[in-house]
Amino acid sequence: MTKRGTKDGRGHRKAVAVVTAAGMLALGAVGYDAVVELQDAWAGRPYPVADPAAVAKHLDARTQTVYGALALPPGAALDREPWAGDGITARVYDVCRPRGISHLLENMSDRGADEPRTATLDAGFILTGITPPQAQEALRRARQTLTGQGWTETAADDTRVTLKPPSTGPGSLAETVTVGFSPERGTLAVAAGTECARYPDDTPVDWDGKPTDLPSPTAPAQLRSH
């Protein structure tokens, strides 16, 4: 019985060879500038490089800024539940796949590998003790205050707003900040996150490949001190 090709077997190598041949034919039919662009498309644009600890500290500061813009009334408190998503995290699985046409077949497979030494970074906290009217007013204030400071609103409705800061931090990574209210739980979540980034070779990591030198969160400092 003839064996079927697998992701790492002859079938996969043959498919890659066909795609490679097609790419080489395309390169011969265009000019130099187009060749360079096609080569970049084939190999994939490298992920930006940034120090995870510096990025995490920067994101934490972003959430501080948003907390101030919400101008919440007395009574709001940090949600202390373990599932609350409070803190600073680095995600290394199923978020940063290899780029470029050469990795197309690999990325289409469920067994596709993540790009080594890459992660997305997030910082956030969840607040309780907020009524729906208070949440709506807080979202309105945050939108008005932050857009007045140059932030760009990318999505918004009655319970959620997503904004893009006017400047970038370490590594010039693209960032977004989302504030969302859950009427069912009575919680208001603030989360800041970045696009995928590669961390420097000297970054300490655990057995899972996650950076181990991320700082502890401080946002919102006004509540954590109590």
mmCIF file of all heavy atoms in Angstrom, residues 135-136 139 143 153-163 177-183 187-191:
data_model
loop_
_atom_site.group_PDB
_atom_site.id
_atom_site.type_symbol
_atom_site.label_atom_id
_atom_site.label_comp_id
_atom_site.label_asym_id
_atom_site.label_seq_id
_atom_site.Cartn_x
_atom_site.Cartn_y
_atom_site.Cartn_z
ATOM 1 N N ALA A 135 -20.812 52.722 34.064
ATOM 2 C CA ALA A 135 -19.917 52.206 33.033
ATOM 3 C C ALA A 135 -20.073 52.975 31.732
ATOM 4 O O ALA A 135 -19.079 53.324 31.076
ATOM 5 C CB ALA A 135 -20.180 50.722 32.800
ATOM 6 N N GLN A 136 -21.313 53.258 31.339
ATOM 7 C CA GLN A 136 -21.545 54.001 30.107
ATOM 8 C C GLN A 136 -20.942 55.401 30.189
ATOM 9 O O GLN A 136 -20.333 55.883 29.223
ATOM 10 C CB GLN A 136 -23.043 54.071 29.809
ATOM 11 C CG GLN A 136 -23.641 52.727 29.405
ATOM 12 C CD GLN A 136 -25.129 52.829 29.095
ATOM 13 O OE1 GLN A 136 -25.733 53.902 29.216
ATOM 14 N NE2 GLN A 136 -25.725 51.719 28.707
ATOM 15 N N LEU A 139 -17.125 55.096 29.961
ATOM 16 C CA LEU A 139 -16.676 54.857 28.582
ATOM 17 C C LEU A 139 -16.745 56.149 27.768
ATOM 18 O O LEU A 139 -15.844 56.442 26.970
ATOM 19 C CB LEU A 139 -17.536 53.773 27.927
ATOM 20 C CG LEU A 139 -17.292 52.343 28.408
ATOM 21 C CD1 LEU A 139 -18.350 51.398 27.824
ATOM 22 C CD2 LEU A 139 -15.907 51.868 28.002
ATOM 23 N N ARG A 143 -13.468 57.902 26.065
ATOM 24 C CA ARG A 143 -13.398 58.172 24.628
ATOM 25 C C ARG A 143 -13.112 59.646 24.373
ATOM 26 O O ARG A 143 -12.260 59.998 23.553
ATOM 27 C CB ARG A 143 -14.710 57.759 23.960
ATOM 28 C CG ARG A 143 -14.960 56.258 23.948
ATOM 29 C CD ARG A 143 -16.380 55.918 23.564
ATOM 30 N NE ARG A 143 -16.695 56.315 22.209
ATOM 31 C CZ ARG A 143 -17.910 56.190 21.669
ATOM 32 N NH1 ARG A 143 -18.922 55.718 22.383
ATOM 33 N NH2 ARG A 143 -18.118 56.543 20.423
ATOM 34 N N GLU A 153 -9.981 56.138 17.882
ATOM 35 C CA GLU A 153 -11.017 55.162 18.207
ATOM 36 C C GLU A 153 -11.198 54.233 17.007
ATOM 37 O O GLU A 153 -11.494 54.674 15.905
ATOM 38 C CB GLU A 153 -12.319 55.882 18.521
ATOM 39 C CG GLU A 153 -13.454 54.970 18.947
ATOM 40 C CD GLU A 153 -14.718 55.756 19.239
ATOM 41 O OE1 GLU A 153 -14.710 56.552 20.207
ATOM 42 O OE2 GLU A 153 -15.703 55.584 18.490
ATOM 43 N N THR A 154 -11.030 52.935 17.227
ATOM 44 C CA THR A 154 -11.144 51.965 16.137
ATOM 45 C C THR A 154 -12.434 51.160 16.191
ATOM 46 O O THR A 154 -12.842 50.578 15.186
ATOM 47 C CB THR A 154 -9.951 50.998 16.137
ATOM 48 O OG1 THR A 154 -9.909 50.286 17.389
ATOM 49 C CG2 THR A 154 -8.648 51.760 15.957
ATOM 50 N N ALA A 155 -13.086 51.095 17.342
ATOM 51 C CA ALA A 155 -14.364 50.399 17.479
ATOM 52 C C ALA A 155 -15.028 50.856 18.762
ATOM 53 O O ALA A 155 -14.352 51.153 19.760
ATOM 54 C CB ALA A 155 -14.170 48.881 17.500
ATOM 55 N N ALA A 156 -16.375 50.919 18.753
ATOM 56 C CA ALA A 156 -17.081 51.356 19.954
ATOM 57 C C ALA A 156 -18.552 50.993 19.866
ATOM 58 O O ALA A 156 -19.141 50.970 18.781
ATOM 59 C CB ALA A 156 -16.929 52.863 20.156
ATOM 60 N N ASP A 157 -19.127 50.663 21.017
ATOM 61 C CA ASP A 157 -20.577 50.523 21.152
ATOM 62 C C ASP A 157 -20.939 50.894 22.590
ATOM 63 O O ASP A 157 -20.144 51.526 23.283
ATOM 64 C CB ASP A 157 -21.057 49.115 20.774
ATOM 65 C CG ASP A 157 -20.375 48.014 21.585
ATOM 66 O OD1 ASP A 157 -20.035 48.248 22.759
ATOM 67 O OD2 ASP A 157 -20.177 46.908 21.038
ATOM 68 N N ASP A 158 -22.128 50.496 23.047
ATOM 69 C CA ASP A 158 -22.575 50.917 24.377
ATOM 70 C C ASP A 158 -21.764 50.309 25.518
ATOM 71 O O ASP A 158 -21.749 50.844 26.629
ATOM 72 C CB ASP A 158 -24.050 50.559 24.570
ATOM 73 C CG ASP A 158 -24.968 51.409 23.708
ATOM 74 O OD1 ASP A 158 -24.503 52.489 23.266
ATOM 75 O OD2 ASP A 158 -26.111 50.994 23.461
ATOM 76 N N THR A 159 -21.101 49.169 25.262
ATOM 77 C CA THR A 159 -20.400 48.479 26.347
ATOM 78 C C THR A 159 -18.903 48.310 26.112
ATOM 79 O O THR A 159 -18.203 47.766 26.983
ATOM 80 C CB THR A 159 -21.005 47.076 26.569
ATOM 81 O OG1 THR A 159 -20.870 46.306 25.357
ATOM 82 C CG2 THR A 159 -22.470 47.161 26.956
ATOM 83 N N ARG A 160 -18.394 48.767 24.986
ATOM 84 C CA ARG A 160 -16.984 48.507 24.687
ATOM 85 C C ARG A 160 -16.419 49.593 23.778
ATOM 86 O O ARG A 160 -17.112 50.098 22.896
ATOM 87 C CB ARG A 160 -16.846 47.145 24.008
ATOM 88 C CG ARG A 160 -15.411 46.732 23.667
ATOM 89 C CD ARG A 160 -15.406 45.328 23.043
ATOM 90 N NE ARG A 160 -15.953 44.366 23.981
ATOM 91 C CZ ARG A 160 -15.228 43.686 24.851
ATOM 92 N NH1 ARG A 160 -13.904 43.855 24.874
ATOM 93 N NH2 ARG A 160 -15.775 42.831 25.672
ATOM 94 N N VAL A 161 -15.150 49.914 23.992
ATOM 95 C CA VAL A 161 -14.440 50.836 23.113
ATOM 96 C C VAL A 161 -13.011 50.341 22.947
ATOM 97 O O VAL A 161 -12.385 49.870 23.897
ATOM 98 C CB VAL A 161 -14.459 52.283 23.672
ATOM 99 C CG1 VAL A 161 -13.802 52.359 25.044
ATOM 100 C CG2 VAL A 161 -13.778 53.238 22.702
ATOM 101 N N THR A 162 -12.518 50.408 21.720
ATOM 102 C CA THR A 162 -11.141 50.026 21.414
ATOM 103 C C THR A 162 -10.440 51.228 20.817
ATOM 104 O O THR A 162 -10.966 51.868 19.904
ATOM 105 C CB THR A 162 -11.082 48.848 20.432
ATOM 106 O OG1 THR A 162 -11.744 47.717 21.008
ATOM 107 C CG2 THR A 162 -9.641 48.461 20.119
ATOM 108 N N LEU A 163 -9.265 51.531 21.341
ATOM 109 C CA LEU A 163 -8.528 52.717 20.924
ATOM 110 C C LEU A 163 -7.088 52.371 20.601
ATOM 111 O O LEU A 163 -6.515 51.422 21.152
ATOM 112 C CB LEU A 163 -8.549 53.772 22.028
ATOM 113 C CG LEU A 163 -9.924 54.278 22.453
ATOM 114 C CD1 LEU A 163 -10.063 54.209 23.949
ATOM 115 C CD2 LEU A 163 -10.142 55.694 21.976
ATOM 116 N N VAL A 177 -5.834 49.299 22.964
ATOM 117 C CA VAL A 177 -6.354 49.262 24.327
ATOM 118 C C VAL A 177 -7.868 49.132 24.236
ATOM 119 O O VAL A 177 -8.517 49.871 23.496
ATOM 120 C CB VAL A 177 -5.976 50.531 25.107
ATOM 121 C CG1 VAL A 177 -6.586 50.482 26.507
ATOM 122 C CG2 VAL A 177 -4.465 50.689 25.198
ATOM 123 N N THR A 178 -8.410 48.176 24.969
ATOM 124 C CA THR A 178 -9.853 47.931 24.955
ATOM 125 C C THR A 178 -10.416 48.055 26.357
ATOM 126 O O THR A 178 -9.839 47.539 27.317
ATOM 127 C CB THR A 178 -10.173 46.532 24.395
ATOM 128 O OG1 THR A 178 -9.701 46.444 23.054
ATOM 129 C CG2 THR A 178 -11.676 46.273 24.403
ATOM 130 N N VAL A 179 -11.546 48.751 26.465
ATOM 131 C CA VAL A 179 -12.281 48.847 27.718
ATOM 132 C C VAL A 179 -13.660 48.249 27.466
ATOM 133 O O VAL A 179 -14.370 48.684 26.556
ATOM 134 C CB VAL A 179 -12.423 50.302 28.194
ATOM 135 C CG1 VAL A 179 -13.102 50.341 29.566
ATOM 136 C CG2 VAL A 179 -11.064 50.989 28.247
ATOM 137 N N GLY A 180 -14.015 47.223 28.238
ATOM 138 C CA GLY A 180 -15.296 46.560 28.014
ATOM 139 C C GLY A 180 -16.054 46.332 29.310
ATOM 140 O O GLY A 180 -15.462 45.942 30.331
ATOM 141 N N PHE A 181 -17.358 46.572 29.277
ATOM 142 C CA PHE A 181 -18.214 46.376 30.447
ATOM 143 C C PHE A 181 -19.075 45.141 30.252
ATOM 144 O O PHE A 181 -19.656 44.934 29.182
ATOM 145 C CB PHE A 181 -19.109 47.594 30.674
ATOM 146 C CG PHE A 181 -20.054 47.446 31.839
ATOM 147 C CD1 PHE A 181 -19.564 47.404 33.131
ATOM 148 C CD2 PHE A 181 -21.415 47.337 31.632
ATOM 149 C CE1 PHE A 181 -20.426 47.257 34.216
ATOM 150 C CE2 PHE A 181 -22.287 47.199 32.704
ATOM 151 C CZ PHE A 181 -21.792 47.156 34.003
ATOM 152 N N SER A 182 -19.142 44.292 31.276
ATOM 153 C CA SER A 182 -19.993 43.105 31.258
ATOM 154 C C SER A 182 -21.192 43.350 32.163
ATOM 155 O O SER A 182 -21.057 43.312 33.390
ATOM 156 C CB SER A 182 -19.217 41.872 31.745
ATOM 157 O OG SER A 182 -20.091 40.772 31.902
ATOM 158 N N PRO A 183 -22.387 43.605 31.585
ATOM 159 C CA PRO A 183 -23.570 43.847 32.420
ATOM 160 C C PRO A 183 -23.911 42.646 33.298
ATOM 161 O O PRO A 183 -24.406 42.809 34.409
ATOM 162 C CB PRO A 183 -24.671 44.118 31.384
ATOM 163 C CG PRO A 183 -23.945 44.539 30.146
ATOM 164 C CD PRO A 183 -22.675 43.767 30.146
ATOM 165 N N THR A 187 -18.732 43.994 35.719
ATOM 166 C CA THR A 187 -17.290 44.243 35.744
ATOM 167 C C THR A 187 -16.874 45.083 34.546
ATOM 168 O O THR A 187 -17.471 45.008 33.474
ATOM 169 C CB THR A 187 -16.501 42.921 35.725
ATOM 170 O OG1 THR A 187 -16.879 42.143 34.568
ATOM 171 C CG2 THR A 187 -16.759 42.115 36.979
ATOM 172 N N LEU A 188 -15.830 45.850 34.752
ATOM 173 C CA LEU A 188 -15.262 46.683 33.701
ATOM 174 C C LEU A 188 -13.803 46.259 33.505
ATOM 175 O O LEU A 188 -12.997 46.330 34.431
ATOM 176 C CB LEU A 188 -15.334 48.158 34.083
ATOM 177 C CG LEU A 188 -14.930 49.174 33.005
ATOM 178 C CD1 LEU A 188 -15.961 49.182 31.877
ATOM 179 C CD2 LEU A 188 -14.792 50.565 33.599
ATOM 180 N N ALA A 189 -13.477 45.804 32.292
ATOM 181 C CA ALA A 189 -12.136 45.291 32.007
ATOM 182 C C ALA A 189 -11.358 46.289 31.159
ATOM 183 O O ALA A 189 -11.883 46.846 30.188
ATOM 184 C CB ALA A 189 -12.227 43.956 31.259
ATOM 185 N N VAL A 190 -10.125 46.510 31.531
ATOM 186 C CA VAL A 190 -9.201 47.353 30.772
ATOM 187 C C VAL A 190 -8.032 46.478 30.340
ATOM 188 O O VAL A 190 -7.387 45.835 31.179
ATOM 189 C CB VAL A 190 -8.687 48.536 31.616
ATOM 190 C CG1 VAL A 190 -7.695 49.374 30.812
ATOM 191 C CG2 VAL A 190 -9.853 49.400 32.088
ATOM 192 N N ALA A 191 -7.752 46.427 29.035
ATOM 193 C CA ALA A 191 -6.675 45.563 28.537
ATOM 194 C C ALA A 191 -5.892 46.277 27.448
ATOM 195 O O ALA A 191 -6.472 46.878 26.533
ATOM 196 C CB ALA A 191 -7.255 44.264 27.974
#
